[in-house]
Amino acid sequence: MPPHGGRFPGHNLSNPFAHLSQPIHQQPQLQQQHQQNMAHPNFGGANPGHNINLFGGHGQNNFQSNAGIGGGLGGAGLGAAAGLGGVSGGTGLDGHEARMRFAHGAQLQQDAALGRGQDGSKGIAGQRIRDVWRGNLHQEMELLRSLIEQYPYISMDTEFPGVVARPIGEFNSKASYHYQTVRCNVDLLKIIQLGVTLFSVQGEIPPAQLDASQLHYQPKAVQQYTNNILVCPCTWTFNFQFSLEEDMYNEESIQMLKKSGADFEKHAAQGIDPEEFGSLLTTSGMTLTEDVNWISFHSGYDFAYLIKMLTSKPLPEGEDKYRDLVELFFPRLLDVKYLWRHANGLVRKGAIGSHATNILTNLGTKSGLQDLADELSCQRVGTSHTAGSDAWLTGAVFWELRKKIFSGNIPEDMNGQMWGLTGVGPPASANAQAAVLAAQGAPGLTGFPGMNGGMMFHPGSTATHRGEGPSTPTSHPAGLASTPGPSHGGMMTPGATGAFGEFRYSGK
């Protein structure tokens, strides 16, 4: 099958590690020994900038090593591979074990190119969750383009700088109130991380070592792997430009992200441009198609930040236009938290099996991502409140929920439902909101220019955060689906220009 029409190759990918700035110094004696003893037509010419080439073209007979890579593989690695014979139908350097060892060498070089040292990549998380920054954005998007046709389920999560504003006024539904809350915050703030994990239609993640010859779409970054052995993650964490000096954020949210390991100095210096990412995502084959299924957990903010990047515009004023955009870019969308809510409704109606009923009864009122994961025996990989780990866990929970609660069949009417923006009751009235403000002794508020409608910022550092974190809530009931009130808040930060204040949406 040819690649999807919406997927186009990236740019300047002939050398996916071109951003390496410093050469690795080679050992002349070791280099000469390898050139004499290990010449083989399957290895390309040496790259003077990196002094190793495991990905070069065929038909060249020289191979160079270096102290960093050669020492890491040593006698048990490339040296031992030279003596292998009769393994898996190949001999010598063409044997299966030898190819696996060369793939390991490719992983070492790729880790160096992507900035992952040994101390930062221990365990399965370091092997299967790949950090993406500005320098390796294009090559990783190329890899995703090549995989999406065979792994068309994408679980996702975002990390963002919290909630800093609330709309004030009359709203015709609670969903409308929640959308305006999402809109004013997403328009004001910047995304920090996006995590995505790929799954096949059977719920399987890509293997750690993938035979690239089996891929229908093979960009240059994939073609350059020797013997078609592709070192493959299953999860990608995209890290975006964000400055604690210039950008607006909620202090509690940032502190939580710091505890989870967020490197904000690196975000400021090497973060991805959201508009560049949006253009690459548009042409990736991951959006604008019903062949791809997006899976999220409590997705009110997640898709809003994606829509902002994909359109390079503020979110629409009206909820209906926003839904139209979501349906355009993500025609197949499932929200795990909404599925959980629907399953609880089936329990009350007695329309679900006993095993599923027991699982949901054990959960009780707990509805966080980690709660569902624990009940469904899904193991987390990585650190919570990092986008990659949360995205992987979201996907794992979805597949177990699909199997154990829905017997392998998700109802079609669940498509497109987003928790917090679908099927919720009316909000508190403007009079009720004003009464709460008065009871709390809120100071007089002045107008804030530049927004279409009314909203209230959260001034002061004594306000509590009550459930909204920088990512989809994962350990407590979701704040978006609670009765709205003006007391949700947090500490405002540098970069928040303009007067704090309030004004109202007209008749909405």
Side-chain angles (χ1 to χ4, degrees):
M1 178 183 294
H4 187 273
R7 179 168 57 234
F8 299 100
H11 304 286
N12 300 322
L13 288 165
S14 59
N15 182 357
F17 305 123
H19 57 285
L20 278 177
S21 58
Q22 298 295 329
I24 303 175
H25 296 290
Q26 55 183 309
Q27 295 178 348
Q29 183 177 1
L30 182 61
Q31 171 194 344
Q32 183 178 4
Q33 177 182 351
H34 278 296
Q35 287 177 331
Q36 292 175 353
N37 298 333
M38 299 187 63
H40 191 277
N42 280 346
F43 292 96
N47 184 326
H50 306 157
N51 296 323
I52 185 168
N53 182 2
L54 295 179
F55 314 108
H58 297 277
Q60 301 180 44
N61 295 318
N62 57 333
F63 175 81
Q64 288 185 334
S65 184
N66 56 65
I69 303 299
L73 295 174
L78 294 178
L84 291 173
V87 182
S88 298
T91 59
L93 292 176
D94 193 37
H96 176 75
E97 185 175 351
R99 283 182 277 141
M100 293 302 100
R101 293 186 187 277
F102 289 132
H104 178 63
Q107 175 72 82
L108 291 179
Q109 186 193 23
Q110 196 160 344
D111 282 348
L114 302 179
R116 292 197 301 267
Q118 291 183 352
D119 58 341
S121 59
K122 294 180 179 179
I124 190 172
Q127 299 168 12
R128 304 311 317 273
I129 301 177
R130 179 165 294 172
D131 273 320
V132 185
W133 299 88
R134 185 188 311 149
N136 64 321
L137 171 63
H138 284 261
Q139 76 181 59
E140 296 306 325
M141 290 303 294
E142 280 283 73
L143 181 54
L144 281 165
R145 286 185 184 97
S146 68
L147 293 170
I148 192 61
E149 189 171 327
Q150 290 168 255
Y151 298 90
Y153 280 79
I154 306 172
S155 60
M156 61 92 83
D157 179 73
T158 62
E159 302 293 339
F160 52 91
V163 175
V164 300
R166 293 275 172 183
I168 296 295
E170 297 286 351
F171 302 90
N172 55 20
S173 71
K174 192 174 180 180
S176 177
Y177 169 84
H178 287 325
Y179 172 67
Q180 297 303 336
T181 303
V182 169
R183 181 173 77 90
C184 64
N185 282 280
V186 170
D187 284 351
L188 286 167
L189 305 175
K190 293 182 177 180
I191 187 173
I192 297 174
Q193 282 186 338
L194 167 68
V196 297
T197 301
L198 298 188
F199 295 87
S200 69
V201 293
Q202 291 83 25
E204 299 172 347
I205 58 175
Q209 293 182 338
L210 183 69
D211 185 352
S213 65
Q214 298 179 2
L215 299 175
H216 296 133
Y217 173 63
Q218 297 183 20
K220 292 180 179 179
V222 171
Q223 294 172 7
Q224 293 182 36
Y225 281 83
T226 300
N227 290 318
N228 290 322
I229 301 299
L230 175 63
V231 179
C232 187
C234 68
T235 299
W236 289 257
T237 301
F238 294 91
N239 298 279
F240 294 94
Q241 291 175 345
F242 192 87
S243 170
L244 295 180
E245 301 297 326
E246 299 177 1
D247 297 321
M248 189 185 299
Y249 57 88
N250 180 295
E251 180 65 29
E252 295 176 14
S253 302
I254 294 300
Q255 291 304 318
M256 187 173 73
L257 287 175
K258 285 182 176 179
K259 290 180 181 178
S260 299
D263 185 345
F264 284 102
E265 291 185 3
K266 193 169 183 179
H267 277 277
Q270 301 180 35
I272 298 165
D273 179 357
E275 290 191 4
E276 181 180 11
F277 177 81
S279 67
L280 292 171
L281 184 61
T282 301
T283 59
S284 67
M286 300 165 67
T287 61
L288 300 166
T289 173
E290 294 189 356
D291 295 332
V292 173
N293 301 264
W294 284 77
I295 305 164
S296 63
F297 184 91
H298 192 136
S299 57
Y301 282 90
D302 294 334
F303 287 103
Y305 276 105
L306 288 183
I307 291 296
K308 180 182 177 181
M309 289 192 289
L310 287 164
T311 62
S312 297
K313 295 179 180 179
L315 296 182
E317 291 186 29
E319 182 187 354
D320 290 341
K321 291 184 178 179
Y322 169 70
R323 288 183 176 279
D324 290 342
L325 285 174
V326 172
E327 185 176 355
L328 173 67
F329 284 101
F330 308 101
R332 304 294 302 177
L333 178 162
L334 293 168
D335 189 316
V336 172
K337 194 169 181 76
Y338 196 88
L339 294 177
W340 165 85
R341 178 181 185 268
H342 178 73
N344 275 286
L346 295 178
V347 170
R348 290 189 292 270
K349 296 176 182 178
I352 200 168
S354 59
H355 180 60
T357 299
N358 289 337
I359 292 175
L360 295 168
T361 301
N362 291 339
L363 279 168
T365 59
K366 296 183 294 184
S367 62
L369 176 61
Q370 192 63 55
D371 297 321
L372 271 65
D374 293 341
E375 186 62 34
L376 294 168
S377 301
C378 299
Q379 184 177 359
R380 177 184 288 278
V381 179
T383 306
S384 62
H385 298 301
T386 57
S389 176
D390 285 355
W392 192 344
L393 191 62
T394 296
V397 167
F398 165 77
W399 290 104
E400 288 300 305
L401 197 71
R402 182 177 183 263
K403 178 175 68 175
K404 296 178 179 179
I405 304 298
F406 294 98
S407 301
N409 296 304
I410 301 295
E412 182 60 29
D413 58 359
M414 294 295 98
N415 181 55
Q417 310 288 4
M418 293 175 286
W419 179 264
L421 298 180
T422 304
V424 291
S429 67
N431 290 336
Q433 296 178 47
V436 174
L437 282 174
Q440 293 179 341
L445 299 172
T446 58
F448 180 83
M451 291 288 292
N452 294 321
M455 68 177 181
M456 183 186 72
F457 282 102
H458 298 305
S461 58
T462 58
T464 59
H465 206 42
R466 286 186 57 189
E468 281 81 16
S471 74
T472 334
T474 56
S475 59
H476 39 64
L480 261 183
S482 63
T483 304
S487 61
H488 297 218
M491 183 176 178
M492 287 288 291
T493 60
T497 57
F500 298 123
E502 159 191 12
F503 49 75
R504 300 179 181 277
Y505 291 95
S506 57
K508 299 272 180 129

